[in-house]
Amino acid sequence: MPRGIPVATVAINNGVNAGLLAVRILSAGIPELVGKMSEYMKNMEKEVLDKVEKLEEVGWEQYQVKRG
């Protein structure tokens, strides 16, 4: 893209990442979103670490991903 045309891209069918990008952009003008985004990211980190722990317990052969 030429200068002056900022581009932010996300994968097709990945609305979550598009939403997270939008919140980051909006937080420049809505400071309270920064704290909410930080809390959301901490929750995501906990979810990932819980999955890592479960994977280590049962092994990759027995690990099953729960789809919501």
Side-chain angles (χ1 to χ4, degrees):
M1 295 305 282
R3 281 189 206 169
I5 311 292
V7 177
T9 60
V10 294
I12 294 173
N13 292 328
N14 198 341
V16 172
N17 280 350
L20 292 173
L21 177 59
V23 170
R24 287 177 187 264
I25 293 168
L26 291 171
S27 69
I30 308 171
E32 59 267 19
L33 291 178
V34 174
K36 292 178 180 181
M37 182 69 164
S38 179
E39 182 180 336
Y40 180 81
M41 299 298 285
K42 286 178 187 176
N43 289 337
M44 284 181 30
E45 180 182 14
K46 182 184 180 321
E47 184 179 321
V48 169
L49 293 175
D50 289 346
K51 289 178 180 180
V52 168
E53 186 177 319
K54 173 84 176 202
L55 180 61
E56 289 174 348
E57 283 177 22
V58 300
W60 68 269
E61 299 91 351
Q62 300 300 316
Y63 186 80
Q64 292 187 12
V65 176
K66 296 178 185 171
R67 306 225 180 235

